[in-house]
Amino acid sequence: MADNFEHRIPDRQVTAAERAEAVRVVTDVLADDCEAAFIVGSLSVGLGHAESDVDIVAVRGDATADRTRQHVVDGRRFDLLTVSTAEWTRRTELMSSYRISTGDRTQGNLDHKEMIKVVRYAVATRLGIGRTPELAGPDLDTVARVMIYHHSQQASSFAEDAYGALAVDDHYTALAAADEAVKAGIEAVLTAERSLYVGPKFLLRRAARSPLLAPMFESVWALRYGQVPLDGLAASAARLAPERLFLAAGLIAFAATTGWDGTTGGPALPDFFSPARPGAPLRDPFHGLMRFTDGFILAGPNIAYELTDAMALLWSRCNGADLAQLHAEFVRDIDPDVTVEVLEGALAALHGMGVISFHGN
């Protein structure tokens, strides 16, 4: 694996001059009718490029519908979106705590436009102007958890598509769906790191600067972009689709368990790419983990299981380590009192559900 950040693209934040111009734009347009203002979009999270617009959100007291105004200053475009206090407050309250349960998934049913807005507002850079310059926005941890749930749903759906496609020898769809699942898994880990952005264009750039993903960047690149010749495609799809899904499920499971409360000071990602030890428990690649306020659901083709926190953690760790390694991990990271016998019994239960296998058996 590559050293950390070897493939990183330098961050591009909003400059001091752009920030000052953004303040001027807000002041010229709204005068005193501004509660607070923010830089949002790619420049607010270090993902700008040479042609990036400066996206501004200003919260104002009236109930006027959201409106965007464009300003061009010295060739740089500044887009000012005005949002009513009522709409800002609605989104802030919507994302004040994680409330997705097995019986009520309303909070997670955001359309794409709403998803972009809550993510943008959660990671916005304050301009420090307005009547309430420290106006609170959507809670970052809550938005991150809702997005991890969203990515887990996506990955599970793509895994089901890949499973069905392989069953009818649709190798194209199987490979494409499995790759989409990998992208959802990468997004989930980035979100666990609180590196949020909605949209595919910066995914690799974000992964290359990720403390968790950068060490395995070359392996992920090879799995996604290694040449797959049309000659012998059936054999390639039968091997590659499950490999991609195994990685995707592992990334999602990490984000939904170990990374749920953030990753600062936490453990590194497991090793998803080394050969499995003989007899090692391995996650079934066609199952995926989803986290709710009242527990975990492990969903697979035509069936889903409820898992306790401990069983979800155990399933997430079935990456190819043998029982002795797995026990050492659990003692170190989760429960210093857990015994080998307890883990053996739990693994036997997971095997009975058909959600893990034992390598070589």
Side-chain angles (χ1 to χ4, degrees):
M1 293 186 183
D3 293 338
N4 279 6
F5 313 124
E6 178 181 342
H7 303 288
R8 178 174 183 161
I9 305 299
D11 283 0
R12 162 75 163 89
Q13 307 276 358
V14 65
T15 65
E18 289 165 343
R19 183 185 180 95
E21 189 60 42
V23 169
R24 189 192 66 77
V25 167
V26 174
T27 303
D28 287 353
V29 173
L30 300 182
D32 295 330
D33 186 17
C34 176
E35 290 294 330
F38 308 84
I39 300 290
V40 298
S42 59
L43 286 170
S44 72
V45 291
L47 296 171
H49 55 69
E51 298 297 324
S52 291
D53 302 328
V54 180
D55 296 319
I56 313 162
V57 168
V59 184
R60 59 189 304 181
D62 64 27
T64 304
D66 295 0
R67 179 183 175 190
T68 301
R69 298 175 176 87
Q70 293 183 354
H71 305 263
V72 178
V73 182
D74 295 331
R76 173 73 67 193
R77 198 174 90 183
F78 290 75
D79 290 343
L80 172 61
L81 172 68
T82 53
V83 179
S84 70
T85 303
E87 277 302 293
W88 183 271
T89 301
R90 181 184 67 80
R91 294 185 178 107
T92 299
E93 292 175 349
L94 175 65
M95 294 294 161
S96 59
S97 64
Y98 185 71
R99 298 187 294 275
I100 302 175
S101 67
T102 53
D104 183 1
R105 308 187 187 192
T106 306
Q107 188 184 35
N109 296 333
L110 302 176
D111 65 33
H112 189 68
K113 289 183 178 179
E114 187 77 353
M115 190 181 300
I116 290 174
K117 287 179 179 179
V118 296
V119 169
R120 281 187 160 203
Y121 299 170
V123 298
T125 300
R126 297 180 183 277
L127 284 175
I129 59 174
R131 289 186 291 267
T132 316
E134 296 301 315
L135 181 68
D139 177 65
L140 176 59
D141 285 336
T142 298
V143 173
R145 290 166 186 148
V146 170
M147 291 305 296
I148 290 172
Y149 166 78
H150 168 74
H151 297 312
S152 69
Q153 272 196 317
Q154 283 192 313
S156 181
S157 177
F158 285 125
E160 184 178 31
D161 289 337
Y163 181 85
L166 286 172
V168 296
D169 295 328
D170 179 359
H171 316 304
Y172 311 118
T173 301
L175 288 169
D179 186 56
E180 291 296 325
V182 171
K183 289 191 280 188
I186 292 171
E187 283 283 10
V189 171
L190 290 167
T191 303
E193 292 180 317
R194 304 309 188 247
S195 172
L196 279 73
Y197 187 87
V198 177
K201 61 185 177 184
F202 293 120
L203 182 63
L204 290 172
R205 181 173 172 181
R206 292 161 62 212
R209 72 178 186 180
S210 158
L212 290 173
L213 292 166
M216 61 176 63
F217 189 83
E218 288 185 1
S219 297
V220 173
W221 181 277
L223 184 62
R224 291 193 59 206
Y225 296 105
Q227 289 189 349
V228 182
L230 285 172
D231 185 28
L233 183 61
S236 295
R239 174 180 58 84
L240 276 176
E243 285 182 6
R244 289 175 176 175
L245 293 174
F246 182 83
L247 173 63
L251 295 173
I252 292 286
F254 177 90
T257 55
T258 305
W260 189 249
D261 295 322
T263 60
T264 302
L269 281 170
D271 181 0
F272 297 116
F273 293 97
S274 293
R277 296 286 188 94
L282 292 169
R283 290 184 315 279
D284 179 76
F286 299 103
H287 285 79
L289 201 62
M290 289 182 282
R291 182 165 183 163
F292 300 89
T293 56
D294 50 347
F296 289 87
I297 295 291
L298 185 59
N302 305 313
I303 195 166
Y305 296 99
E306 295 182 2
L307 294 185
T308 64
D309 290 4
M311 289 292 271
L313 270 168
L314 179 59
W315 187 82
S316 77
R317 297 289 180 111
C318 292
N319 297 301
D322 60 24
L323 181 60
Q325 292 173 309
L326 197 56
H327 179 250
E329 286 182 21
F330 255 69
V331 168
R332 181 191 66 212
D333 298 334
I334 300 165
D335 181 359
D337 298 321
V338 70
T339 65
V340 172
E341 291 74 21
V342 166
L343 281 187
E344 282 184 314
L347 290 170
L350 290 173
H351 185 256
M353 297 176 193
V355 298
I356 66 167
S357 61
F358 293 100
H359 184 59
N361 294 349

